[in-house]
């Protein structure tokens, strides 16, 4: 359209930085997004993906998007808290009914909560949430069988050092210990931590079945990851390109969310084959007790500041 | 501005005698300006690279080494080593090696060995009329073991750069260190017979002497055992070991009463200076490496290497050549930060274990400490023995052959490194 | 000017000692808490890291003033005496240039992200960067004083 717009010969290059391994579900969706954008714009927009924290730590990448040295980035909602504290509420334990509810609640175009917070994020940090995709549900693993919160008393569970994740682990009845991710397998085998919590895909890709005997399907946090874009970069796009981005964003969200759900089933099978004992409700896991005790802690710590948002999210049909 | 140009500019700047940190920062700054990238990323990257848990070990280990050297712990270790191998022919040369190994079990800092222990070793050897260059050479060669045997700052930093467990890395260093020590001791024993070196201690130790030395040295000797046991049983992480070492050194200093408050502050000041000079380079290396990453240099090198061959043995050979050259010129930590992301991906693609490669990489860089042109160990030793660096470099040469043999063993028999961590952490 | 720089250097070094000891204390207390009281503290870890960043940047000007940065002098040591002052001035100017560049970068971070907080202590960027800015300012002043010395043909009065 305009004579100054990017062309396949002189493409507009954007850097997309993230923390995951290139061939992990999260890494694949970033590449999928980049490839589809290149296709749809006929090569006029080229997205270079930098996986594996090559360009910086998690917090740092979020700030880089804000400053513009990186155009695109995905993270957990909790990971974006340094930019906007309230975004952490989307990682609240036991908040969503199912994946569909989660995707609706974290859709930047339709979710009333995210619409409000996204505007704040744009105004204060020059960062826009483009789309969110489902990246898995967090479950608990430990070196002993756990059926109810009381089984976790005194047990050290590795937790992400952030208030909302600590609340989940402490709410389940355990002692939360921060351990650097690279050290987790060794920490679990030496006993620095007795357990950890992550989506099943992480257990498979990091071979945690070697150091953990029991997997408890607590499903305590259902996670969605926001893909964010620098607002100046977004505003400089032509209307046509904005439409392409919006379209590809929806497509990538669906692709990624389906991909993750499909692999969850097969990952669970792999873990069983590797000899992990899987404890779900049928094996006597008291999910209701976990939910009740976690909700109590959540209410205590976050009820006052996020209670109204929680209501709005629960009201989403 | 391509990756090659950035590196070229860095090499030119470094040759003018500009501080290494600035020589890395300036090309990065120019790159950002040329590419129109917001320059905020420069300070963000520098700060974030230091804002890291593993790096906390750097000041703590340097502080610990300073405390040990100033409180009589090091000299007690030396006496203890004398008890073990002092009666051999060329005894003090053997003691020099063994003391370095024991010291390595406490200290995580490269070069910490040369300043404190090196002084004691060389004084003792000079008293027995060893040629000064020979004493300096064995001191430099044996100091290489320091950061291979746990604890170790370079291995922890590699672990952070490679996102690999530093616990596994540290345990992977145990047997390689023993292999290096064994080969060095064999070489010294050969020299001792050929050049007719004296025994370190004539006659037998009396029972009283033995007990006395053990009693004096025992608290220090227990330290490596305690550190290793504490890490393995999960009481503290590889980074936290550094704080335990400082605490223990402080307690022993209090017991030995050999460290005054004034000396303590002096040790702190020296610690701060070495910490800052190393970590300022680390911070600059972070933004320097960032520009290379944005230029996709790691991918290009990776593709280039994998194009030549996918045979891990050949790739390891190429990596060793690159590392030996880099080690001759670069500061260890900076080399680890810049080269790990470039060299590791193609090697991993070819099936090399990142833990195994970590040990190989650190060993390569340590060899660089005793080779010209930039051999920090030799530079530090030169004023101690009052000999020109050239003469020491020449005396070190025969040991380089032995270290090269050790390097081949470590590179091509991964089990030497991997057996222990695999055994300990059920894999 | 030289006296002032030496005083500054002393003050910077003393504050760095405080940061060093605080760092040590944080790590140690963390170990004790985890092993004896089964509790982990995210705050202590973050505080230790803040101490590390601060002490490095506060010590950089001290190294600049005392010319203790790590350099490779195999080639530069062979430069003829007459050209050496020119080279030295270039070196000092590059150091000043880098420090100033970094200060501008800090300013850029602050314009939009001054209020971004660290995860655990919730310390805003603007506080976190104070020691960094102090370090960079004195690094450029230190290098400027050296440049001035070379101009006047004085040698090493600072170190
Ligand atoms: Na060591
Ligand atoms: Na030695």
């Amino acid at each position: 359209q305009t004579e100054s717009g990017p062309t396949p010969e002189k493409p507009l290059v954007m850097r997309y930085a993230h923390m995951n391994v290139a061939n992990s579900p999260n890494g694949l969706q970033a590449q999928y997004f980049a490839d589809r954008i290149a296709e749809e714009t006929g090569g006029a927009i080229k997205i270079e993906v930098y996986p594996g924290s090559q360009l910086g730590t998690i917090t740092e990448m979020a700030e880089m998007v804000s400053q513009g040295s990186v155009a695109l980035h995905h993270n957990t909602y909790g990971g974006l808290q340094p930019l906007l504290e309230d975004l952490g509420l989307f990682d609240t334990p036991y908040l969503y009914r199912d994946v569909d509810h989660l995707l609706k609640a974290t859709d930047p175009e339709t979710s009333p909560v995210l619409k409000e917070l996204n505007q704040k994020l744009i105004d204060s940090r020059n960062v826009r949430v483009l789309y969110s995709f489902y990246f898995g549900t967090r479950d608990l693993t430990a070196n002993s069988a756990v059926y109810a919160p009381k089984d976790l008393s005194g047990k050290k569970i590795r937790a992400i050092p952030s208030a909302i994740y600590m609340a989940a682990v402490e709410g389940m009845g355990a002692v939360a210990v921060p351990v650097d991710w690279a050290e987790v397998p060794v920490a679990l085998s030496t006993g620095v931590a007795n357990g950890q919590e992550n989506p099943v895909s992480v257990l498979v890709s990091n071979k945690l079945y070697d150091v953990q005997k029991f997997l408890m399907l607590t499903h305590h946090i259902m996670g969605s990851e926001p893909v964010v874009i620098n607002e100046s970069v977004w505003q400089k796009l032509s209307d046509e390109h904005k439409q392409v981005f919006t379209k590809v964003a929806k497509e990538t969200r669906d692709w990624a969310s389906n991909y993750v759900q499909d692999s969850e089933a097969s990952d669970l099978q792999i873990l069983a084959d590797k000899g992990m004992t899987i404890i779900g409700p049928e094996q006597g896991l008291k999910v209701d007790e976990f939910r009740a005790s976690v909700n109590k802690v959540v209410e205590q710590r976050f009820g006052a500041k996020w209670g109204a948002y929680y209501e709005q999210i629960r009201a989403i049909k | 501005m391509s990756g090659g140009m950035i590196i070229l500019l860095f090499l030119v700047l470094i040759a003018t005698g500009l501080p290494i940190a600035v020589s890395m920062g300036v090309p990065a700054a120019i790159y950002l300006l040329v590419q129109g990238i917001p320059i905020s990323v420069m300070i963000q990257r520098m700060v974030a690279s230091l804002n890291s848990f593993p790096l906390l070990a750097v000041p703590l280990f340097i502080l610990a080494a300073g405390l040990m050297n100033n409180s009589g712990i090091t000299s007690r270790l030396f006496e203890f080593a004398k008890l073990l191998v002092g009666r051999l022919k060329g005894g003090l040369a053997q003691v020099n090696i063994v003391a370095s190994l024991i010291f390595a079990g406490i200290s995580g800092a490269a070069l910490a060995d040369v300043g404190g222990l090196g002084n004691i070793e060389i004084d003792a050897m000079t008293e027995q009329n060893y040629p000064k260059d020979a004493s300096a050479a064995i001191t430099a060669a044996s100091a290489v073991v320091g950061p291979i045997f746990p604890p170790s700052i370079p291995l922890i930093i590699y672990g952070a750069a490679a996102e690999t467990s530093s616990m596994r890395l540290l345990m992977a260093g145990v047997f390689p260190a023993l292999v290096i020590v064994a080969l060095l001791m064999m070489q010294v024993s050969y020299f001792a017979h050929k050049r007719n070196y004296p025994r370190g201690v004539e006659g037998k130790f009396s029972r009283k002497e033995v007990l006395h030395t053990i009693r004096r040295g025992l608290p220090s000797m227990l330290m490596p055992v305690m550190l290793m046991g504490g890490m393995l049983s999960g009481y503290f992480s590889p980074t936290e070991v550094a704080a335990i070492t400082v605490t223990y050194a402080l307690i022993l200093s209090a017991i030995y009463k050999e460290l005054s408050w004034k000396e303590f502050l002096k040790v702190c000041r020296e610690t701060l200076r070495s910490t800052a000079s190393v970590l300022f380079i680390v911070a600059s290396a972070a933004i320097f490496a960032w520009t290379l990453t944005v230029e996709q240099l790691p991918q290009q090198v990776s593709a280039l290497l994998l194009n030549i061959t996918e045979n891990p043995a050949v790739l390891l050979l190429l990596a060793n050549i690159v590392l030996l050259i880099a080690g001759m010129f670069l500061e260890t930590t900076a080399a680890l930060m810049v080269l790990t992301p470039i060299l590791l991906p193609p090697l991993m693609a070819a099936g090399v274990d990142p833990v195994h490669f970590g040990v190989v990489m650190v060993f390569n860089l340590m060899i660089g400490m005793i080779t010209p042109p930039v051999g920090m160990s030799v530079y530090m030793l030169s004023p101690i023995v009052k000999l020109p660096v050239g003469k020491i470099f020449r005396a070190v040469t025969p040991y380089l052959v032995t270290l090269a043999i050790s390097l081949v063993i470590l590179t091509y028999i991964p089990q030497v490194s991997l057996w222990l961590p695999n055994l300990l952490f059920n894999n | 000017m030289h006296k002032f720089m030496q005083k500054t250097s002393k003050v910077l070094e003393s504050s760095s000692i405080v940061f060093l000891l605080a760092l040590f204390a944080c790590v140690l207390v963390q170990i004790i808490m985890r092993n004896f009281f089964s509790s982990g503290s995210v705050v202590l870890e973050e505080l230790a890291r803040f101490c590390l960043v601060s002490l490095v940047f506060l010590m950089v000007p001290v190294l600049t003033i005392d010319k203790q940065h790590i350099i490779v002098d195999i080639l530069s040591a062979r430069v003829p005496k007459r050209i050496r002052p020119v080279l030295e001035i270039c070196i000092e100017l590059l150091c000043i240039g880098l420090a100033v560049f970094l200060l501008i970068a800090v300013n850029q971070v602050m314009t939009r992200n001054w209020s971004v907080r660290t995860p655990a202590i919730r310390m805003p960027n603007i506080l976190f960067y104070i020691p960094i800015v102090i370090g960079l300012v004195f690094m450029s002043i230190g290098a400027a004083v050296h440049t001035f010395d070379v101009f006047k043909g004085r040698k090493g009065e600072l170190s």
Side-chain angles (χ1 to χ4, degrees):
Chain A
Q1 30 158 11
T2 54
E3 56 282 350
S4 60
T7 60
E9 292 74 39
K10 223 173 164 289
L12 171 64
V13 178
M14 296 184 185
R15 284 179 288 275
Y16 184 141
H18 66 84
M19 66 169 294
N20 305 103
V21 187
N23 60 6
S24 65
N26 291 1
L28 290 173
Q29 76 81 30
Q31 196 55 54
Y32 182 95
F33 182 79
D35 293 345
R36 289 289 297 124
I37 290 286
E39 262 173 55
E40 291 285 324
T41 60
I45 297 183
K46 193 176 156 210
I47 298 179
E48 289 171 350
V49 183
Y50 296 89
S53 298
Q54 282 175 36
L55 296 189
T57 62
I58 317 176
T59 331
E60 204 186 347
M61 284 188 281
E63 276 191 65
M64 284 177 183
V65 179
S66 174
Q67 298 286 344
S69 41
V70 160
L72 290 147
H73 164 58
H74 71 244
N75 206 323
T76 58
Y77 274 99
L80 291 183
Q81 275 186 297
L83 293 186
L84 185 65
E85 173 71 14
D86 285 346
L87 287 175
L89 74 91
F90 292 107
D91 282 349
T92 301
Y94 296 116
L95 182 60
Y96 311 105
R97 294 186 298 274
D98 50 30
V99 175
D100 188 49
H101 182 209
L102 165 89
L103 289 176
K104 280 182 180 149
T106 55
D107 185 324
E109 287 183 5
T110 60
S111 160
V113 181
L114 187 55
K115 267 200 292 198
E116 182 191 325
L117 294 181
N118 205 8
Q119 196 55 52
K120 275 193 193 162
L121 186 64
I122 293 167
D123 295 341
S124 65
R125 304 290 183 209
N126 205 35
V127 173
R128 168 187 293 265
V129 176
L130 202 55
Y131 64 97
S132 318
F133 63 92
Y134 172 62
F135 87 110
T137 300
R138 304 180 82 88
D139 288 317
L140 177 74
T141 69
N143 52 14
S144 58
V146 172
Y147 296 95
K150 64 171 171 22
D151 299 333
L152 278 175
S153 118
K155 290 260 190 275
K156 287 180 279 192
I157 303 295
R158 182 260 175 180
I160 295 173
S162 141
I164 194 85
Y165 290 92
M166 304 275 277
V169 168
E170 285 163 3
M172 287 194 286
V175 177
V177 287
V179 179
D180 195 52
W181 176 241
E183 296 301 330
V184 167
V186 166
L188 291 170
S189 72
T190 55
V192 168
N194 307 113
Q196 61 86 49
E197 47 90 45
N198 257 308
V200 280
S201 62
V202 176
L203 307 185
V204 174
S205 55
N206 291 277
K207 299 191 176 151
L208 287 189
Y209 45 75
D210 282 337
V211 284
Q212 294 278 271
K213 286 267 168 302
F214 299 89
L215 167 63
M216 276 60 68
L217 303 177
T218 46
H219 291 357
H220 52 276
I221 296 178
M222 196 173 270
S224 142
E225 295 220 346
V227 178
V228 292
I229 186 166
N230 174 276
E231 178 66 9
S232 313
V233 169
W234 171 255
Q235 289 304 345
K236 276 195 203 114
L237 290 177
S238 64
D239 286 345
E240 187 197 344
H241 282 157
K242 273 185 190 153
Q243 275 168 19
V244 170
F245 267 65
T246 314
K247 187 181 116 182
V248 172
K250 287 207 174 76
E251 228 180 81
T252 312
R253 175 199 64 190
D254 294 342
W255 181 86
S257 303
N258 289 333
Y259 182 93
V260 171
Q261 288 181 80
D262 290 345
S263 49
E264 269 177 335
S266 57
D267 284 341
L268 209 54
Q269 190 54 50
I270 294 174
L271 294 175
D273 294 343
K274 291 286 179 186
M276 279 191 96
T277 306
I278 296 169
I279 301 178
E282 297 92 69
Q283 286 78 31
L285 187 73
K286 307 271 197 310
V287 179
D288 287 338
E289 282 185 30
F290 281 111
R291 182 181 291 119
S293 89
V294 170
N295 279 345
K296 210 173 115 192
V297 172
V298 168
E299 182 53 37
Q300 270 168 15
R301 298 187 189 174
F302 307 104
K305 67 175 171 182
W306 290 339
Y309 289 129
Y310 292 156
E311 286 316 310
Q312 277 179 286
I313 286 175
R314 293 205 172 95
I316 296 172
K317 288 284 166 268
Chain B
M1 201 175 175
S2 70
M5 280 168 72
I6 300 172
I7 293 178
L8 190 70
L9 181 55
F10 160 67
L11 291 176
V12 169
L13 287 176
I14 217 172
T16 65
L18 189 66
I20 298 179
V22 182
S23 307
M24 293 180 131
V26 169
I30 295 174
Y31 177 80
L32 296 180
L33 289 176
V34 170
Q35 301 290 320
I37 297 172
I39 63 170
S40 54
V41 70
M42 178 118 177
I43 190 76
Q44 281 175 334
R45 195 74 278 269
M46 289 180 77
V47 171
S49 66
L50 299 181
N51 192 357
S52 121
F53 182 68
L55 285 186
L56 294 176
V58 175
L60 293 176
F61 272 130
I62 298 179
L63 178 61
L67 290 173
M68 287 188 283
N69 290 335
N70 282 279
S71 65
I73 298 176
T74 308
S75 57
R76 278 157 218 251
L77 284 180
F78 180 75
E79 291 301 319
F80 196 89
K82 228 159 109 179
L83 189 66
L84 293 177
V85 289
R87 292 182 56 232
L88 296 174
K89 205 163 168 56
L92 286 187
Q94 303 287 21
V95 169
N96 192 319
I97 300 174
V98 171
S100 280
L101 179 64
I102 302 174
F103 193 77
I106 308 175
S107 169
L111 295 176
D113 180 305
V114 177
L117 186 59
N119 254 321
I120 300 173
E121 290 166 345
I122 291 168
D123 280 352
M125 288 176 77
T126 308
E127 232 165 79
Q128 288 201 352
N129 299 320
Y130 281 84
K132 284 224 168 179
D133 57 342
S135 328
I138 187 64
T139 304
S142 59
V144 164
V145 170
I148 310 284
F149 198 86
S152 158
I153 294 175
L155 281 174
I156 292 177
I157 289 174
Y158 169 85
E163 291 190 16
T164 302
S165 158
S166 35
M167 272 294 271
R168 296 187 82 88
L169 280 162
L170 290 181
M171 291 310 140
V174 172
F175 280 103
L178 296 179
V179 167
I180 299 165
V181 163
L183 289 177
L184 282 177
M185 286 183 78
M186 277 160 62
Q187 188 177 20
V188 163
S189 146
Y190 169 75
F191 281 157
H193 286 95
K194 206 176 86 176
R195 300 179 188 168
N196 202 18
Y197 286 161
R199 291 183 192 283
V201 182
E202 288 300 339
K204 279 192 173 170
F205 287 103
S206 72
R207 231 181 100 91
K208 214 175 129 196
E209 274 175 318
V210 172
L211 285 177
H212 181 69
T213 310
I214 291 181
R215 199 166 339 107
R216 273 171 58 89
L218 200 61
S220 322
M221 287 303 304
L222 281 178
M223 210 152 143
V225 182
M226 202 186 70
L227 294 181
M228 193 91 101
M231 273 196 292
L232 286 176
S233 46
Y235 289 114
F236 32 79
S237 71
T239 304
E240 290 169 338
V241 163
I244 299 288
T245 322
V246 172
T247 313
Y248 199 76
L250 279 175
I251 294 173
L252 288 188
S253 319
I255 295 172
Y256 299 158
K257 297 202 180 78
E258 285 184 32
L259 184 79
S260 68
W261 174 246
K262 219 171 143 189
E263 279 169 321
F264 174 71
L265 287 181
K266 192 179 127 241
V267 172
C268 284
R269 274 195 287 274
E270 279 162 7
T271 302
L272 286 169
R273 280 166 196 251
S274 342
T275 304
S277 53
V278 170
L279 292 189
F280 188 37
I281 295 176
V282 168
S284 304
I287 183 64
F288 184 75
W290 194 90
T291 61
L292 296 180
T293 310
V294 168
E295 274 304 305
Q296 314 248 343
L297 188 83
Q299 288 93 323
Q300 288 161 14
V301 172
S302 186
L304 182 78
L305 285 178
L306 290 173
N307 230 334
I308 299 175
T309 176
E310 287 186 21
N311 179 337
V314 182
L315 282 175
L316 276 168
L317 176 70
L318 293 173
N320 271 323
I321 294 171
V322 171
L323 285 169
L324 280 174
I325 296 173
M328 288 164 76
F329 292 94
L330 289 180
E331 196 276 330
T332 311
T333 321
L336 285 169
M337 305 256 310
V338 175
L339 291 176
T340 305
I342 295 180
L343 291 176
L344 188 58
L347 286 167
M348 278 177 75
V352 175
D353 190 305
V355 171
H356 168 218
F357 183 60
V359 175
V360 171
M361 185 159 183
V362 170
F363 187 36
N364 267 303
L365 297 176
M366 288 306 121
I367 292 179
M369 295 235 177
I370 59 170
T371 55
V374 189
M376 290 309 290
S377 275
V378 174
Y379 285 176
M380 273 181 77
L381 278 165
S382 158
I384 296 177
V385 292
K386 301 190 182 65
L387 283 177
V389 282
K391 201 159 159 61
I392 308 178
F393 277 132
R394 259 193 304 282
V396 166
T397 314
Y399 296 111
L400 281 177
V401 177
T402 310
L403 293 177
I405 296 170
S406 319
L407 179 60
V408 172
I409 295 176
L410 297 195
T411 306
Y412 291 109
I413 313 180
Q415 287 80 4
V416 177
S417 315
L418 295 177
W419 182 76
L420 186 62
N422 283 349
L423 176 84
L424 290 170
F425 310 121
N426 42 321
N427 241 328
Chain C
M1 200 60 193
H2 289 117
K3 240 194 182 143
F4 169 72
M5 287 316 289
Q6 265 153 6
K7 273 232 170 84
T8 314
S9 168
K10 275 240 164 67
V11 173
L12 291 171
E13 204 166 40
S14 307
S15 5
S16 303
I17 293 184
V18 175
F19 279 117
L20 175 67
L21 297 181
L23 182 158
F24 167 57
C26 288
V27 179
L28 191 65
V29 171
Q30 176 92 311
I31 301 172
I32 295 170
M33 295 233 311
R34 196 184 50 241
N35 286 302
F36 297 104
F37 304 99
S38 274
S39 71
S41 160
V42 205
V43 172
L44 282 174
E45 200 224 291
E46 200 178 278
L47 202 58
R49 286 188 276 114
F50 167 68
C51 290
L52 181 68
V53 174
S54 303
L55 74 84
V56 171
F57 277 92
L58 288 178
M59 284 303 289
V60 165
V62 177
L63 295 177
T64 307
I65 292 167
D66 293 350
K67 297 205 166 178
Q68 282 186 338
H69 283 294
I70 300 180
I71 61 165
V72 178
D73 59 355
I74 26 166
L75 279 180
S76 57
R78 298 205 167 82
V79 169
K81 266 220 169 91
R82 282 189 317 135
I83 312 177
R84 197 164 286 172
V86 181
L87 189 64
E88 276 176 30
I89 288 179
C90 289
I91 289 174
E92 299 300 343
L93 289 179
L94 279 172
C95 291
I96 299 173
L98 184 71
V100 171
F101 185 88
L102 287 171
L103 283 168
I104 299 172
V106 172
N107 182 52
Q108 212 178 76
V109 173
M110 288 309 132
T111 44
R112 200 179 309 279
N113 288 344
W114 68 270
S115 61
V116 168
R117 287 164 189 275
T118 60
I121 317 177
R122 315 220 10 82
M123 184 194 295
N125 264 340
I126 195 145
L127 285 183
F128 195 94
Y129 272 77
I130 287 177
I132 298 169
V133 169
I134 294 176
L136 292 172
V137 166
F138 284 106
M139 174 183 170
S140 37
I141 297 178
V145 173
H146 282 312
T147 319
F148 190 69
D149 282 352
V150 181
F151 259 119
K152 293 199 100 182
R154 283 191 296 211
K155 250 192 100 186
E157 283 190 15
L158 266 183
S159 37

